[in-house]
Amino acid sequence: NLGRQLGDLNPLVREIAGRKGCVLAGATERPGAPALGQDAGLLAGVGPLGCVVGDDPKALFASVDAVLDFTTPKATLAHAALAAEARAILVIGTTGLQALDLEAIAAAARHTTIVQSANMSLGVNLLMQLTRQAAHLLDEDFDIEIVEMHHRMKVDAPSGTALALGEAAASGRGVALDRVAARGRDGITGARRRGDIGFAVLRGGNVVGDHTVILAADNERIELTHKASDRAIFARGALRAALWARGQKPGLYGMADVLGFTGQPG
């Protein structure tokens, strides 16, 4: 019994409609959105589901077991408060969340179960684990650079996933990312500082999301890459997170918890 806050309707609706034991129970959009009043199943191309898109998130949270949220930071904070009030599971795939946003989400998670991740892809979350382990095993002779590319319409940079990969690398080395991140290089920058974690951002076309973590030492280089070609992968991961969250105690979880990586070395 899953509610849906609409950021990109079709992949999530298709994933829910095709999963045995899951029912799309509600969907909301912003006031004035073209999808309002329409059947979510018809909009997603899977046939009528009897679920009409509305604009009342409070009513949605009160009537469902879990909500999948791929919206905006401002909307997500409101949804986290509603989830806490209704004791509904909330799965957050919204990007662009800042430190204060995450603090508010963590506060809401004291009252309900929330799974939040910068990227819901199962493959990307495996990449994060591999990045953490590689950074843990390889010393600072290996420079770490993170390169990401997304479509021309993406508004935040670096991507939330790139920053999460940076956090994974920093965690593997036991340092705080904000102390070692190199997020802008232009002009005469001087030599690369040992131990930095660098970020490079590319934008163009309709690229769904490419991320590469490079560990480069003298005479050898390791590259860990994930390429997304369809947003359906995020829907698949979000639905898996919602199903995993059933029966979990209130708290803030990540995809590492969903996939069982928590507590592993590195």
Side-chain angles (χ1 to χ4, degrees):
N1 184 5
L2 290 155
R4 169 74 176 99
Q5 295 286 344
L6 306 185
D8 185 2
L9 170 70
N10 296 347
L12 278 171
V13 172
R14 287 195 292 265
E15 189 69 26
I16 294 168
R19 182 68 64 91
K20 185 177 180 180
C22 293
V23 176
L24 182 67
T28 65
E29 256 289 9
R30 66 189 184 281
L36 292 177
Q38 300 187 55
D39 187 288
L42 290 175
L43 288 172
V46 296
L49 296 176
C51 175
V52 175
V53 179
D55 61 1
D56 185 355
K58 185 170 184 177
L60 175 75
F61 277 90
S63 62
V64 301
D65 299 316
V67 173
L68 311 182
D69 182 351
F70 287 75
T71 55
T72 65
K74 182 178 179 180
T76 291
L77 293 186
H79 301 155
L82 291 172
E85 180 182 342
R87 302 299 194 267
I89 293 168
L90 179 61
V91 176
I92 299 173
T94 300
T95 61
L97 296 167
Q98 303 301 310
L100 289 177
D101 301 328
L102 296 174
E103 289 178 12
I105 291 168
R110 292 199 291 265
H111 306 286
T112 194
T113 305
I114 297 179
V115 181
Q116 184 272 326
S117 178
N119 192 307
M120 288 288 168
S121 159
L122 303 180
V124 161
N125 281 279
L126 175 59
L127 175 61
M128 290 181 189
Q129 178 68 8
L130 295 173
T131 297
R132 183 177 294 106
Q133 291 180 327
H136 176 70
L137 293 170
L138 301 174
D139 63 21
E140 291 182 351
D141 285 345
F142 283 81
D143 300 321
I144 299 177
E145 294 285 320
I146 297 169
V147 182
E148 60 103 335
M149 182 170 186
H150 284 81
H151 53 89
R152 64 172 68 92
M153 302 302 292
K154 187 168 179 61
V155 298
D156 56 310
S159 70
T161 299
L163 292 172
L165 288 166
E167 290 284 3
S171 172
R173 288 193 168 166
V175 298
L177 180 61
D178 59 3
R179 295 183 58 189
V180 296
R183 292 179 54 169
R185 296 184 179 124
D186 186 29
I188 307 300
T189 62
R192 189 188 197 281
R193 191 175 65 174
R194 180 179 172 85
D196 272 359
I197 296 174
F199 293 85
V201 175
L202 308 177
R203 294 287 179 266
N206 64 349
V207 177
V208 173
D210 294 350
H211 295 87
T212 296
V213 179
I214 302 168
L215 298 102
D218 292 348
N219 305 315
E220 60 178 327
R221 183 171 70 248
I222 300 164
E223 297 186 5
L224 305 172
T225 296
H226 178 274
K227 295 180 182 290
S229 57
D230 192 317
R231 287 180 175 81
I233 64 173
F234 310 131
R236 188 179 310 129
L239 187 53
R240 179 162 172 174
L243 295 171
W244 173 87
R246 292 180 301 176
Q248 300 293 331
K249 294 179 180 179
L252 180 59
Y253 301 91
M255 288 300 287
D257 299 297
V258 175
L259 297 176
F261 292 147
T262 306
Q264 293 191 12

